[in-house]
Amino acid sequence: MSYDFRSFINMAATPQQLAVALLFLLAGVLSFPLNQEKKRSVTCGYQSCHTTKPDMLNVHLVPHTHDDVGWLKTVDQYYYGDRNDIQHAGVQYILDSVVDQLLKNPDRRFIYVETSFFYRWWKNQSSSMQQTVRQLVNEGRLEFVNGGWCMSDEAATHYSAVIDQMTLGLRFLNETFGLCGRPRVAWHIDPFGHAREHASMFAQMGFDGFFFGRVDYQDRAHRMREKEQELLWRASDSLTPPMADLFTGILPNGYNPPEGFCWDQLCSDPPIRDDPDLEDYNVDDVVHRFLHIAKNQAEVYKTNHIIMTMGSDFQYENANLWYKNLDKLIHYVNALQANGSKVNVLYSTPSCYLQELHQANLTWALKRDDFFPYADSAHDFWTGYFTSRPALKRYERISNSNLQICNQLEVLGGPVSRKGPFGVGDSQTLRKAMAVAQHHDAVSGTAKQHVTNDYAKRLANGWQHCQVLVSNSLASLSGSTAERTYCDNLNISVCPLTESSKKFSVNVYNPLARAVTWPVRLPVNGTAYTVTDAKGNAVDCQVAPVSTATQDVRRNRGFAVNELVFQVQAPPLGYSTYSVSMLQDRPPPATTQHGAPTLIQNKFLRVTFDPDTGLLSSLTNLETKQSIKLTQNFYWYNASDGHNSKSNQPSGAYIFRPNSSTPFIISKTAKTESIQTSVVQEVRQWFAPWVSQVVRLYADSRALELEWTVGPLPIDDSLGKEVITRLDTSIKTAEIFYTDSNGREVLQRRKDFRPTWQLKQSEPIAGNYYPINSRAFIKDDMDQLTVVTDRSQGGGSIQNGSLEIMLHRRLLYDDVRGVAEPLNETSNIFPEGLVVRGRLLLSLDHPPSAADTHRPLAQEVVFQPLLSFTDGDLPPNTQLEFSGLQAALPPAVHILTFSQWDEESVLLRLEHQFQSGESKINSQPVTVNLQKLFSTLDIQGVSELNLSANQWKDKMRRFEWTPQKGEKPLLKTYEDPSAWEVTLRPMEIRTFLLRVIFR
Ligand SMILES: *[C@@H]1O[C@H](CO)[C@@H](O)[C@H](O)[C@H]1NC(C)=O
Ligand SMILES: [Zn+2]
């Protein structure tokens, strides 16, 4: 396939704009009446909308189906319509039936959203059916909206994975349908709360507007009164408006049809019975009820256009039912216009509706915060899923890191990565698995257990495919085809090779664009080792006994008695190799001391412990000489079982509802032991048979590591438990704390407060919980304590100076939001309940420079180095070190995407990872020279794309909107210094397609 590289050098090419204009012109000329000249007419997008009546209330009926990419059934079961005993749903039949029905009446419209399903269906169609569908798309009768592989969750997803899943879906649509396949509207009708970063990304993906269904009930009531259910979302504090401005519409009835108008086979509303000769003629009644609903709805929206979502979960399997009744509804309601009715009903799509709002030329309320947390009633806060299924949430995050490494090595190793000495590998399988895992019932933790297992299995299978690719690529880069193994269970000290080998090498691949120092812990059975780096220099290493907590989690999966600990360095986008040899008759390993020392410290931090309790007592930054009191402990909230005087809502997979605002302390004191070596100092704390922690300080780390192990949560007392850790500090917060949005920009959170409406707080804990995707912090004028997490979690700051993070949940009741299972995770290895282990990284800084620590730190957790192992000696002439970059990039720049796009081109996303004003040094624009970036690639040409890589940047035009207060922002265009030198401003992500030749 070939790309349009005409714009390599001359990026502001006017001939292209002309060409676009010409295309629109042609489109206009070719718009014959719909059923003639079917083959040639191309009138998709805004041109294909039905006309409306300016002097009437126009009701846009949007036929749609909401197809979850796994929830009660797996994605494949949903596609085929398998296991209809669980839920009647079959996406293949939906698409069959809808296409059939669209052909019956050219006025009919349908929107389709989830490309993972559409892709499955498309592959199985004959070429004549594909031609028919292309025609429907070209005429705007079948329109794609959103268009990602799935409709992502917004609370537990990381921006890197969201951008990837959107890119995957939108690329398929572009390649299959061209311009007419490009969605204009983002559509998140079901996610349970809405992240500001999602809106920012959608704006940068070129969407003209965004619609969703779920919004807090108090927020909705307020917006209905103020007619602010449609608004302009300014989704970034750093990007220059309108770059991250997104018009946002809240749908009137979630995503369901108005009451009484559901005509699917899954519904039981009366059909339109319009034969006067038969009994039960009901046209007058239906029309009357419809007009009533339409008029009420129009009162809470601003224009003389309203939208109705005619469909719901897995509807349209027998589309005839819906369309037959909708045809009649439109006919009979509009027939009344002859008698003076001022209501006009039409088949429509979200983009056609949006176009009318845009043409209304009004001003819209401006919103700068987000839509978390979401409550659908006073005691029903959907803040439990921020933490639900913490093991899946971590596995998804690691899988993203693995996918990025797989992508990078596919490029760096060249074609031999896909087919080489270790066989045939690919990145596509993991890419698709990751895209599926972004679904709003996947990483969110709200799918049934068997579906959750399916998500995990897909990720594992994807990683298998990537491992082959990674081995091939590293073989090509290192010149050694020695076998490589991977150890995915190092966090529980399991790695068969290092457990038994006397001599092995470790390859450390670093996916970041700067060199990192990283601690490595390997399970071993010797007592002493030597470690040498790629240059042959000895590396300080220590051996320490495997903790009992680790032995408890690993069970019979490994047999190492010790861990070998050392710090490694790897060059940017490259690897370094370390050799490890066991020594005989050398000093025994470091031994554990009973009790906690009074302090541990490295050159950056000092941590003290309370000798009486064994808990943390203070944290000091030795460079800045700042110090805070810090205690930390573990607690659990008793999950409501639904028997409560205020409401019968239980805590469940979605909803967090503690029975009491005071959590139970697990233990006031911790039993402790410690190990102090030159590489790492750690204090192991034991709180209960199901809660332990290691407080760890590596020699070269600016962060204190808290490695927690929680589970199996005991339920023999018949009480559901929601376990938190809480940090209580001397920092003087005034009911304010901060959380990130999808791992990127940070939002301020205030207790019992929402920025756009007067909150009546009804759940003092759950109503103050927010998603933490990668970090949260508390601060005052002097001190900022930042916690970087290794997965998405929920958390809050309930008391001043305090920050709590929910780690694990085990619940005995379903929360009646559909999943119909209690969140009570067990597995073969843990039949008595899942054990989960994770890390929190703490740093203490002065607020003005805190980002200089937490931005790179969080990126190191998200893009973590990959270790691979080779037994014995490496063949001579093995290249022990490699960097894909000519030089490390400045600290502000992150290589977000580096992946093979097709045979001759590579997709590159460069990101400025600081917010404006967040850092004196790093919140400045940075310029990068694309030609001087890579060490093994010659860049022949470059074209810039939108964020989702489905539109050339210079062709990107979005609707402009005017906020209520203030001017309409003018689109600023910045000039790059030259075609090769690109400038990144704070929080900017720029997407390039590079045409490359391997050196
Ligand atoms: C969209 O797909 C077409 C092929 O259908 C391709 O020529 C074009 O380059 C693609 N556009 C982008 C922005 O990738
Ligand atoms: Zn859904």
Side-chain angles (χ1 to χ4, degrees):
M1 145 200 24
S2 69
Y3 292 92
D4 184 357
F5 284 103
R6 285 169 297 167
S7 53
F8 292 154
I9 303 301
N10 180 6
M11 293 209 177
T14 37
Q16 282 162 1
Q17 285 162 7
L18 266 172
V20 175
L22 209 74
L23 202 90
F24 285 144
L25 222 81
L26 278 174
V29 173
L30 289 174
S31 59
F32 301 107
L34 279 161
N35 30 14
Q36 299 167 22
E37 285 296 329
K38 273 196 175 156
K39 285 270 137 50
R40 278 189 296 135
S41 65
V42 174
T43 53
C44 61
Y46 297 120
Q47 287 76 33
S48 61
C49 298
H50 290 308
T51 52
T52 57
K53 303 200 167 166
D55 56 336
M56 293 192 185
L57 173 64
N58 294 280
V59 185
H60 295 247
L61 301 181
V62 176
H64 81 105
T65 179
H66 177 68
D67 298 347
D68 288 307
V69 180
W71 180 39
L72 309 181
K73 309 203 289 190
T74 68
V75 52
D76 289 350
Q77 289 167 350
Y78 273 134
Y79 175 68
Y80 281 118
D82 192 12
R83 294 304 308 272
N84 276 353
D85 55 320
I86 299 176
Q87 177 188 13
H88 187 103
V91 175
Q92 58 166 340
Y93 307 128
I94 294 173
L95 289 164
D96 289 343
S97 182
V98 162
V99 168
D100 196 40
Q101 288 299 317
L102 287 176
L103 294 170
K104 294 217 158 107
N105 173 356
D107 289 344
R108 293 175 177 175
R109 294 288 181 271
F110 197 72
I111 57 168
Y112 202 72
V113 179
E114 296 85 4
T115 302
S116 57
F117 282 127
F118 188 84
Y119 159 85
R120 281 168 161 78
W121 183 81
W122 179 258
K123 275 198 310 188
N124 292 320
Q125 303 310 306
S126 66
S127 58
S128 80
M129 179 50 100
Q130 290 185 345
Q131 202 42 49
T132 302
V133 172
R134 263 198 204 96
Q135 184 63 21
L136 289 174
V137 173
N138 287 343
E139 291 171 6
R141 292 154 69 180
L142 175 62
E143 179 180 308
F144 295 100
V145 303
N146 215 61
W149 205 246
C150 70
M151 182 187 293
S152 56
D153 172 52
E154 299 191 45
T157 45
H158 190 268
Y159 69 96
S160 157
V162 174
I163 293 170
D164 283 353
Q165 82 88 5
M166 290 300 295
T167 302
L168 183 62
L170 293 171
R171 181 178 183 180
F172 171 81
L173 294 179
N174 177 55
E175 286 178 353
T176 312
F177 299 105
L179 279 180
C180 289
R182 186 171 73 79
R184 310 301 162 108
V185 161
W187 182 258
H188 267 212
I189 53 180
D190 196 22
F192 333 123
H194 303 281
R196 199 179 71 176
E197 195 59 34
H198 259 75
S200 173
M201 289 187 278
F202 287 152
Q204 296 172 71
M205 290 172 183
F207 288 109
D208 284 321
F210 179 36
F211 292 94
F212 61 71
R214 294 185 187 273
V215 67
D216 183 276
Y217 73 106
Q218 291 182 31
D219 194 3
R220 185 188 285 275
H222 173 258
R223 290 182 182 279
M224 283 170 74
R225 279 196 301 277
E226 305 294 321
K227 293 199 183 183
E228 287 185 357
Q229 289 191 89
E230 288 162 337
L231 57 122
L232 186 59
W233 200 349
R234 184 151 293 166
S236 170
D237 294 331
S238 293
L239 299 172
T240 316
M243 256 180 96
D245 284 3
L246 188 64
F247 181 89
T248 301
I250 301 168
L251 296 166
N253 188 28
Y255 53 91
N256 297 306
E259 209 182 316
F261 292 84
C262 187
W263 285 310
D264 196 72
Q265 66 180 17
L266 297 170
C267 303
S268 43
D269 290 338
I272 297 184
R273 299 177 297 237
D274 54 346
D275 186 339
D277 296 341
L278 298 183
E279 280 191 38
D280 305 330
Y281 177 87
N282 68 350
V283 171
D284 299 339
D285 171 60
V286 169
V287 167
H288 177 79
R289 282 189 289 119
F290 185 82
L291 290 176
H292 180 73
I293 289 169
K295 278 173 187 153
N296 281 345
Q297 191 178 322
E299 275 170 22
V300 293
Y301 286 90
K302 268 188 172 177
T303 70
N304 64 329
H305 292 266
I306 59 173
I307 185 171
M308 291 183 181
T309 43
M310 306 310 275
S312 194
D313 291 8
F314 297 97
Q315 294 197 1
Y316 287 79
E317 188 176 312
N318 182 353
N320 180 42
L321 274 66
W322 258 116
Y323 281 116
K324 193 171 218 170
N325 284 286
L326 287 174
D327 283 354
K328 288 181 187 175
L329 181 74
I330 292 169
H331 173 80
Y332 289 115
V333 173
N334 290 350
L336 289 186
Q337 289 169 10
N339 307 340
S341 164
K342 290 281 184 199
V343 176
N344 182 47
V345 195
L346 59 144
Y347 277 116
S348 188
T349 68
S351 52
C352 291
Y353 174 63
L354 184 75
Q355 172 170 250
E356 300 288 352
L357 298 182
H358 183 243
Q359 282 168 359
N361 213 4
L362 301 175
T363 63
W364 306 92
L366 192 67
K367 180 175 172 77
R368 292 167 172 275
D369 62 319
D370 66 357
F371 290 96
F372 284 120
Y374 162 58
D376 53 12
S377 160
H379 301 286
D380 313 47
F381 279 86
W382 299 47
T383 52
Y385 80 100
F386 300 165
T387 302
S388 295
R389 301 196 187 277
L392 179 73
K393 282 182 165 71
R394 175 64 185 148
Y395 191 43
E396 182 274 338
R397 192 63 62 85
I398 296 171
S399 300
N400 185 47
S401 182
N402 287 340
L403 173 60
Q404 303 310 325
I405 289 172
C406 187
N407 286 337
Q408 294 180 1
L409 282 169
E410 183 173 9
V411 181
L412 295 172
V416 73
S417 336
R418 292 184 289 274
K419 196 160 187 251
F422 297 102
V424 177
D426 69 271
S427 54
Q428 192 71 2
T429 311
L430 185 54
R431 189 170 303 122
K432 284 182 183 159
M434 271 299 293
V436 165
Q438 304 312 305
H439 168 61
H440 57 269
D441 296 300
V443 67
S444 59
T446 57
K448 278 188 186 291
Q449 187 62 49
H450 81 103
V451 178
T452 304
N453 297 345
D454 181 68
Y455 292 131
K457 193 166 111 192
R458 281 167 196 275
L459 293 172
N461 180 42
W463 178 225
Q464 289 301 317
H465 286 244
C466 267
Q467 276 185 10
V468 178
L469 185 156
V470 167
S471 292
N472 285 336
S473 174
L474 289 175
S476 148
L477 295 172
S478 70
S480 154
T481 53
E483 200 189 328
R484 235 167 246 285
T485 58
Y486 300 83
C487 289
D488 299 334
N489 296 317
L490 287 174
N491 65 333
I492 52 164
S493 270
V494 175
C495 178
L497 188 148
T498 62
E499 282 163 49
S500 54
S501 175
K502 292 197 167 69
K503 189 166 198 331
F504 58 90
S505 67
V506 191
N507 177 300
V508 183
Y509 179 81
N510 168 19
L512 294 172
R514 57 198 165 77
V516 286
T517 301
W518 192 259
V520 165
R521 313 179 67 86
L522 304 176
V524 291
N525 281 303
T527 55
Y529 289 81
T530 56
V531 177
T532 52
D533 67 15
K535 298 190 175 64
N537 301 321
V539 174
D540 188 9
C541 66
Q542 299 286 341
V543 175
V546 169
S547 70
T548 41
T550 296
Q551 288 171 28
D552 285 351
V553 202
R554 116 185 142 193
R555 306 209 163 162
N556 60 4
R557 291 175 288 174
F559 63 97
V561 294
N562 289 323
E563 281 177 352
L564 173 66
V565 190
F566 55 100
Q567 297 182 109
V568 294
Q569 275 217 345
L573 231 60
Y575 68 78
S576 196
T577 314
Y578 290 77
S579 308
V580 180
S581 307
M582 192 156 107
L583 296 173
Q584 303 295 340
D585 310 322
R586 282 300 179 92
T591 50
T592 50
Q593 310 291 321
H594 282 289
T598 47
L599 65 85
I600 56 176
Q601 75 176 53
N602 66 7
K603 51 191 183 242
F604 302 115
L605 295 173
R606 175 190 298 149
V607 185
T608 64
F609 294 83
D610 181 326
D612 298 328
T613 60
L615 303 177
L616 286 172
S617 59
S618 77
L619 180 63
T620 303
N621 181 328
L622 296 169
E623 285 184 312
T624 57
K625 306 208 163 34
Q626 60 188 128
S627 192
I628 56 164
K629 282 191 201 147
L630 167 67
T631 57
Q632 178 239 4
N633 209 335
F634 295 86
Y635 308 79
W636 58 279
Y637 288 106
N638 173 208
S640 170
D641 58 8
H643 299 105
N644 183 288
S645 56
K646 286 190 184 135
S647 132
N648 54 10
Q649 176 62 52
S651 226
Y654 307 85
I655 285 170
F656 171 34
R657 181 153 188 252
N659 238 342
S660 153
S661 299
T662 316
F664 293 93
I665 194 161
I666 289 165
S667 171
K668 285 189 179 134
T669 60
K671 283 185 206 151
T672 54
E673 57 182 37
S674 69
I675 296 177
Q676 304 207 39
T677 71
S678 52
V679 181
V680 66
Q681 303 175 42
E682 60 183 52
V683 174
R684 297 169 174 180
Q685 299 171 312
W686 189 93
F687 296 87
W690 49 282
V691 179
S692 64
Q693 178 173 260
V694 184
V695 180
R696 221 178 242 144
L697 207 48
Y698 288 100
D700 289 330
S701 175
R702 288 177 179 277
L704 177 68
E705 176 178 313
L706 304 182
E707 190 191 48
W708 50 271
T709 303
V710 175
L713 307 193
I715 46 167
D716 43 11
D717 53 6
S718 301
L719 300 177
K721 295 185 178 58
E722 325 218 16
V723 176
I724 60 160
T725 186
R726 200 174 71 210
L727 303 156
D728 295 306
T729 73
S730 54
I731 297 173
K732 294 180 185 58
T733 64
E735 312 214 309
I736 285 174
F737 82 118
Y738 299 81
T739 61
D740 66 318
S741 181
N742 297 129
R744 266 195 121 223
E745 290 187 41
V746 170
L747 294 174
Q748 190 191 72
R749 310 300 191 178
R750 219 166 109 188
K751 195 179 163 197
D752 299 331
F753 178 82
R754 304 289 184 261
T756 64
W757 86 91
Q758 197 74 41
L759 174 72
K760 272 208 219 73
Q761 184 61 278
S762 42
E763 281 287 324
I765 308 296
N768 282 310
Y769 258 55
Y770 290 89
I772 299 170
N773 297 106
S774 68
R775 81 208 71 186
F777 54 80
I778 50 175
K779 65 174 183 179
D780 57 22
D781 292 344
M782 292 300 297
D783 301 309
Q784 174 167 332
L785 178 71
T786 311
V787 180
V788 167
T789 66
D790 63 351
R791 76 199 70 193
S792 290
Q793 295 168 318
S797 176
I798 309 296
Q799 303 295 335
N800 282 339
S802 154
L803 177 65
E804 66 181 59
I805 295 177
M806 189 178 285
L807 304 174
H808 196 2
R809 342 178 49 218
R810 189 172 191 190
L811 308 169
L812 304 176
Y813 300 92
D814 175 58
D815 56 3
V816 272
R817 293 303 184 283
V819 70
E821 274 182 7
L823 186 73
N824 182 357
E825 293 180 281
T826 59
S827 75
N828 290 341
I829 295 166
F830 300 104
E832 74 280 37
L834 225 53
V835 182
V836 184
R837 172 171 278 187
R839 294 184 306 150
L840 301 175
L841 300 177
L842 273 53
S843 65
L844 176 67
D845 307 273
H846 288 310
S849 59
D852 295 333
T853 311
H854 71 71
R855 288 282 170 199
L857 190 63
Q859 222 59 282
E860 282 168 32
V861 175
V862 173
F863 282 53
Q864 60 175 30
L866 174 70
L867 306 184
S868 56
F869 301 87
T870 306
D871 200 12
D873 285 309
L874 286 172
N877 303 328
T878 302
Q879 197 183 325
L880 298 179
E881 213 159 28
F882 166 82
S883 174
L885 293 188
Q886 293 185 26
L889 292 182
V893 183
H894 174 52
I895 295 186
L896 177 63
T897 309
F898 183 54
S899 72
Q900 197 75 38
W901 185 258
D902 61 25
E903 301 266 293
E904 61 206 12
S905 45
V906 165
L907 189 69
L908 172 72
R909 285 195 185 90
L910 292 177
E911 167 183 2
H912 193 304
Q913 58 173 334
F914 284 80
Q915 287 181 213
S916 62
E918 179 175 71
S919 159
K920 279 205 188 70
I921 337 152
N922 288 313
S923 295
Q924 303 296 330
V926 204
T927 299
V928 174
N929 188 320
L930 297 176
Q931 264 182 329
K932 296 192 180 142
L933 220 47
F934 300 103
S935 62
T936 60
L937 305 175
D938 275 329
I939 315 287
Q940 302 288 304
V942 52
S943 327
E944 187 164 7
L945 293 148
N946 68 353
L947 183 60
S948 43
N950 65 330
Q951 198 181 20
W952 304 109
K953 188 72 179 279
D954 59 3
K955 291 187 181 159
M956 188 169 151
R957 306 274 178 280
R958 300 173 61 222
F959 283 167
E960 289 166 21
W961 305 86
T962 313
Q964 242 158 29
K965 292 182 190 121
E967 303 278 292
K968 181 188 275 192
L970 292 174
L971 192 61
K972 272 206 200 77
T973 48
Y974 296 101
E975 289 283 312
D976 284 322
S978 75
W980 297 111
E981 288 176 297
V982 299
T983 301
L984 297 157
R985 286 171 182 75
M987 278 292 140
E988 210 175 349
I989 301 175
R990 296 184 64 179
T991 307
F992 302 97
L993 199 59
L994 308 177
R995 194 177 49 178
V996 298
I997 292 180
F998 292 91
R999 275 190 201 139

